[in-house]
Amino acid sequence: MNKINSYGTGLVAGLAVFFGLMVGAIIMLVSGFNPVTGYISLVQSALGSSLNIGEVLRSMTPLILTAAGFLVAQSAGFFNIGLAGQVWVGWIASTWFVLVNQSMTPWLSIPLAVIIGALAGALMGALPGWLRAQFGASEVITTIMLNYIALYGGNAFVQGLPKKLMATTDMTNTLHASDSLRWDFLSNLTGGSRLNIGFIIAIVALVAVWFIMKRTTLGFEIRAVGLNPDAARYAGMSAKRTAVTAMTISGLLAGLAGATEGLGTYLNIFSQTAAPQVGYDGMAVALLASGSFLGIFFAALLFSILSVGGLGMPLASGVPTELVSVVTASIIFFIVANYLIRLILVKIDEDDAKQKAKKMKGPKEPEKKVEEAE
């Protein structure tokens, strides 16, 4: 069984990406497009200039943070589908704070805004964790419902802001670059892209979460509760407290992702028709990473290349951008199917072990009977 489980990291993720790309290639062929030309144009569109590379790194920022948040919750045995709503409240809270405090020096307002955005997401994450711990409420249901509450409540909040803060009825004024996470050095380095300090924040946060989960008592407790709540409780760990803590950290990282979107990418708040997609994409990145924090970085890089490169495919090769979504969905499918395949392999392995055990016992039983007869 251990041998089978050893195939569950880089190899399986690599195969999932390969099969996903193959599915995309087959669909391109059926649709009358050249898959080789399509994928070459995708890579060139994503990595063919410093501007596009900067946009790829910028796109990675919220994916790294939301994927890390999902992985923390998953380690504790929770499925946090509320990342999108947590991103949205973090986005609103952080950007709103800067909008209403533009007289404050940016050296103070920006760090405070990032912290406020992270805390807003943490609160949204802690609530379903508390409901699960106290009442056994499914975090899947509560986080889905909270996504809608965050979406429509956030839109109502934005539309109700004072007129002096609004550019239109659905969009706030745009922040000046000096009141944001933008940094001229990063922008100039990448040909005027929107790459900002948020990328650095994401990398630092990823390393910090890895350290917490792998090198601290808190991380050990979160993983222990996720593996076996009863055994963890018997060892003196509080499963309820750990549940709330894990979901709080997960929400905090998602709120931080929202802050980087509002203060680094868009520089304003505007009404959304759906909860931010980066929340859902972050879950896919975490699944592709297969529980590895280093894997999160490379999975986020892949998804960002697909996202940014897909925008240039229609112009370069005529392949519609919808095919990029097909490739992404196919990769996720093979990642999820991997869990089913692994369960089947484990079952086969157990059956083989039982049969071998029976064969080993078979010849010994007659020998014992002969000895007894003598």
Side-chain angles (χ1 to χ4, degrees), residues 40-315:
I40 289 176
S41 66
L42 186 149
V43 174
Q44 288 179 340
S45 298
L47 306 175
S49 68
S50 59
L51 171 62
N52 290 345
I53 292 174
E55 285 299 313
V56 167
L57 296 177
R58 190 273 311 164
S59 179
M60 287 175 63
T61 300
L63 295 180
I64 290 173
L65 291 167
T66 51
F70 182 83
L71 188 54
V72 170
Q74 187 183 44
S75 298
F78 299 107
F79 206 82
N80 183 9
I81 304 183
L83 292 166
Q86 292 151 20
V87 167
W88 182 223
V89 297
W91 181 341
I92 293 173
S94 58
T95 311
W96 167 83
F97 179 82
V98 177
L99 282 169
V100 299
N101 291 283
Q102 295 199 31
S103 60
M104 187 182 299
T105 173
W107 291 100
L108 180 60
S109 64
I110 299 303
L112 285 176
V114 171
I115 292 171
I116 288 171
L119 291 177
L123 181 61
M124 285 290 290
L127 181 57
W130 180 79
L131 291 172
R132 168 71 179 270
Q134 294 298 321
F135 307 106
S138 170
E139 76 282 357
V140 174
I141 302 299
T142 54
T143 51
I144 289 175
M145 294 298 101
L146 283 171
N147 276 343
Y148 287 103
I149 293 173
L151 171 62
Y152 296 116
N155 284 346
F157 176 82
V158 173
Q159 293 166 3
L161 288 174
K163 291 184 178 180
K164 64 180 181 179
L165 299 179
M166 304 297 290
T168 67
T169 55
D170 293 315
M171 183 174 67
T172 66
N173 297 326
T174 300
L175 295 174
H176 191 272
S178 62
D179 292 325
S180 70
L181 291 173
R182 297 281 179 90
W183 186 13
D184 289 341
F185 171 76
L186 292 176
S187 181
N188 295 334
L189 186 66
T190 54
S193 75
R194 293 175 293 174
L195 181 63
N196 56 79
I197 299 174
F199 180 73
I200 300 173
I201 293 174
I203 298 300
V204 172
L206 184 63
V207 174
V209 174
W210 168 83
F211 182 82
I212 291 172
M213 294 298 296
K214 301 295 184 181
R215 294 290 186 270
T216 67
T217 302
L218 175 60
F220 175 77
E221 290 183 354
I222 290 174
R223 289 183 284 116
V225 169
L227 291 171
N228 193 323
D230 294 329
R233 193 178 299 110
Y234 181 79
M237 303 175 191
S238 174
K240 292 183 177 181
R241 183 184 68 247
T242 303
V244 176
T245 302
M247 288 295 290
T248 300
I249 295 174
S250 181
L252 184 145
L253 291 166
L256 192 57
T260 63
E261 287 287 85
L263 298 176
T265 300
Y266 297 100
L267 307 188
N268 64 359
I269 319 169
F270 50 90
S271 296
Q272 305 278 333
T273 56
Q277 185 63 33
V278 292
Y280 302 109
D281 289 343
M283 290 190 285
V285 168
L287 290 174
L288 181 59
S290 301
S292 166
F293 286 96
L294 180 61
I296 284 176
F297 179 87
F298 291 106
L301 176 61
L302 172 64
F303 273 67
S304 296
I305 289 174
L306 290 173
S307 175
V308 175
L311 298 176
M313 287 179 69
L315 296 176

Side-chain angles (χ1 to χ4, degrees), residues 332-343:
I332 297 170
F333 169 80
F334 286 110
I335 283 291
V336 175
N338 153 68
Y339 291 103
L340 176 61
I341 293 170
R342 193 177 304 166
L343 287 174

Side-chain angles (χ1 to χ4, degrees), residues 290-372:
S290 301
S292 166
F293 286 96
L294 180 61
I296 284 176
F297 179 87
F298 291 106
L301 176 61
L302 172 64
F303 273 67
S304 296
I305 289 174
L306 290 173
S307 175
V308 175
L311 298 176
M313 287 179 69
L315 296 176
S317 62
V319 178
T321 55
E322 287 77 9
L323 274 175
V324 177
S325 299
V326 172
V327 172
T328 303
S330 300
I331 292 172
I332 297 170
F333 169 80
F334 286 110
I335 283 291
V336 175
N338 153 68
Y339 291 103
L340 176 61
I341 293 170
R342 193 177 304 166
L343 287 174
I344 294 173
L345 291 174
V346 169
K347 180 63 177 176
I348 293 173
D349 185 62
E350 290 176 346
D351 291 341
D352 289 342
K354 289 179 181 178
Q355 290 179 1
K356 289 180 181 179
K358 288 180 180 179
K359 289 179 180 178
M360 292 177 65
K361 291 180 179 179
K364 295 181 179 179
E365 292 179 357
E367 293 178 0
K368 290 182 179 179
K369 291 181 179 179
V370 171
E371 291 177 357
E372 290 175 0

